[in-house]
Amino acid sequence: MNNDLRYMNRKHTVIGLPSSVFFSIFFILFSLISSGQVSSTIDSTSIKIGEQITYYVQVEADSTALVVFPEGQTFSPLEMIESYEIDTLKKIDKYNLIKKYGLTQFDSGSYTIPRQKIIVGDKTFFTDSLKVEVNNVVVDTTQGLYDIKPIIAVEKSGSDWWKYLLLTVLVIGVLAFLLYWFIWRKKPLTEDEKIALLPPYDRAKLAIRKLDESTYLENQNLKDYYSELTFIIRKYLDEKVYDKALESTTDELITRLKILKQGNQVDLSKDDIKNLEDILKRADLVKFAKSAPDIELAKIDRDTIDVEIDHVKEALPEPTEEEKLLDEKYREEQERKKKRKKIWLTVGISVFLLLATLTGLSLKYGFDLVKDTIIGHDSKELLEGDWVRSEYGFPPITISTPKVLKRSTPELPEEMAQQIELTQFSYGSLIDKFQIQVATTNIKNLGENKINLEQAMEGTLKVFENAGAQNIITKNEKFVTPNGAEGLKVYGTMDSPVLGTDKLEKGKYVILGFTAESVVQQVMLFYKEQDVYAEQMVDRILNSVELKPAEE
């Protein structure tokens, strides 16, 4: 499928809509035949290089005659640069038709304009050949020569894409900084964290010194004093000797120490075990039986615990290489756990912020707009791209489009080419789900007949139906361009065949039609029904259409 707007289904041949559309206009509007007399003249037999001469063809024919004038480059070796409208003069029951052509030549010399073929009804006539002298232009050598001016750079209208990029980078940068600062940054250790990193022995000795700095004994608070004192020794034993020392009763702990001594797992003396037992039981009496030993005894118990910490350290065997390796693996595993925790936390926060942002934008602007902005949408990209405003055809149709329209004029049969002159420009196709076409048809030798624009539009819709379109719903209304040109707007919906399938797809169409004398101008738009961006493009295109009279 190409840009000349074709339909296809199982039962219909591919129909080129632009050519058939305007062929239908041609057949609906006129059909004329007759005979007459022919003559030709030129306004000058001598010109300068590049200067224009006007070539006249005059035909006298009956009022019902069909006259075909030459078109295209039939005046070689001269070039046709313009073909003017036919002037018609009425003489009783006949018409005097005058056709003008603008000719030129860019090389000096003597040239002969060849005989031109004129068809009047069922007869063929030939004009006389004419000689033209093309002279060189005299160069004024008294004037100085100047270098060619350099190319001037034209600044392209910029878009705001860089603003969105800068905002995106800024948001990502702030998010990355916050994640680094609160999760990945190596924070300064608190006092408790520093203590937690110390070896068990050093922590126990530090805890003893901190107990000395407390005011428990000054305030006669023996319960809290003994609670901390026994916690220090129990914590040390829990980490280095018996891993249930903190949760065991005094009797259970002492029994366990004796078993470990008998098994040669810890080299504590009986006196060390007895000292620990006495202090632990005294602490139990203070905490649970409200016993109140002397302050000096409490200080002695503190010194005893300090010494026993040293004895426990000395009694422990040196760790083997295997134990050291296990400790190292344990530390590495702990580090990996911390890193995995940070990663999951980072991913979780990022996903949450992303979903929260998308939800907020969707609530404000709509889910479809947010989705199409992130993922992309062909029609949205066209709508937000750099549009082009240009003129197409003659008389020109000025229109703004998302892309430049390319010439797509179909090749007409020779007989029809003698009756109409068609120029067509288009962008997109039905496969692209968005198509624009601008076409101008000049109908030759129309005479006094008038173009029926509504009938021409009906012929266009008939072509759609023949091409396989179904359920065509049509509405008509008057259309006025911003510069005051009046025309007809035909719009609606249709089900068009999907290429290569038996399915039909719902689409919309808008056709603008204008006519002036022997000219039909059309703007045709086709797009998917649910495409909101295409709707906005169509509104923008329709609001940009302007026509200019041919004489401008």
Side-chain angles (χ1 to χ4, degrees), residues 143-298:
Q143 299 293 326
L145 300 178
Y146 301 93
D147 291 335
I148 298 174
K149 291 185 177 181
I151 296 174
I152 300 175
V154 178
E155 292 186 5
K156 183 179 178 181
S157 58
S159 60
D160 293 336
W161 65 269
W162 63 272
K163 294 181 181 179
Y164 297 107
L165 178 62
L166 182 61
L167 179 62
T168 302
V169 172
L170 181 62
V171 171
I172 294 176
V174 170
L175 177 61
F177 173 77
L178 293 176
L179 290 174
Y180 164 77
W181 185 261
F182 290 104
I183 297 178
W184 292 93
R185 178 176 63 96
K186 192 172 183 180
K187 305 175 187 66
L189 297 176
T190 63
E191 191 66 27
D192 291 339
E193 289 173 335
K194 289 179 180 179
I195 294 174
L197 292 176
L198 293 174
Y201 173 78
D202 294 332
R203 270 189 278 116
K205 301 295 281 186
L206 180 62
I208 289 292
R209 291 195 295 272
K210 284 186 173 294
L211 182 62
D212 294 340
E213 297 172 1
S214 70
T215 60
Y216 292 139
L217 296 180
E218 296 176 6
N219 298 328
Q220 302 290 319
N221 189 356
L222 293 174
K223 181 178 180 180
D224 289 341
Y225 183 84
Y226 270 99
S227 294
E228 284 203 25
L229 181 64
T230 54
F231 177 79
I232 293 171
I233 188 61
R234 279 177 175 272
K235 178 69 173 175
Y236 183 58
L237 292 173
D238 185 86
E239 292 178 322
K240 301 300 294 182
V241 180
Y242 177 46
D243 58 2
K244 293 184 180 180
L246 285 173
E247 59 193 64
S248 300
T249 63
T250 299
D251 291 337
E252 291 172 344
L253 178 58
I254 296 302
T255 301
R256 188 67 181 180
L257 292 177
K258 290 178 180 179
I259 293 173
L260 292 174
K261 173 179 172 54
Q262 291 174 2
N264 296 321
Q265 295 183 30
V266 61
D267 190 17
L268 281 175
S269 66
K270 293 182 179 180
D271 292 337
D272 291 330
I273 296 175
K274 184 68 170 68
N275 291 335
L276 291 175
E277 183 179 9
D278 292 342
I279 295 174
L280 290 174
K281 286 185 176 181
R282 188 176 300 118
D284 290 341
L285 292 174
V286 173
K287 289 185 289 183
F288 304 115
K290 296 183 179 180
S291 174
D294 188 71
I295 297 297
E296 294 301 322
L297 179 59

Side-chain angles (χ1 to χ4, degrees), residues 31-46:
S31 176
L32 306 172
I33 55 172
S34 186
S35 63
Q37 301 295 322
V38 176
S39 64
S40 64
T41 60
I42 54 177
D43 63 350
S44 177
T45 59
S46 179

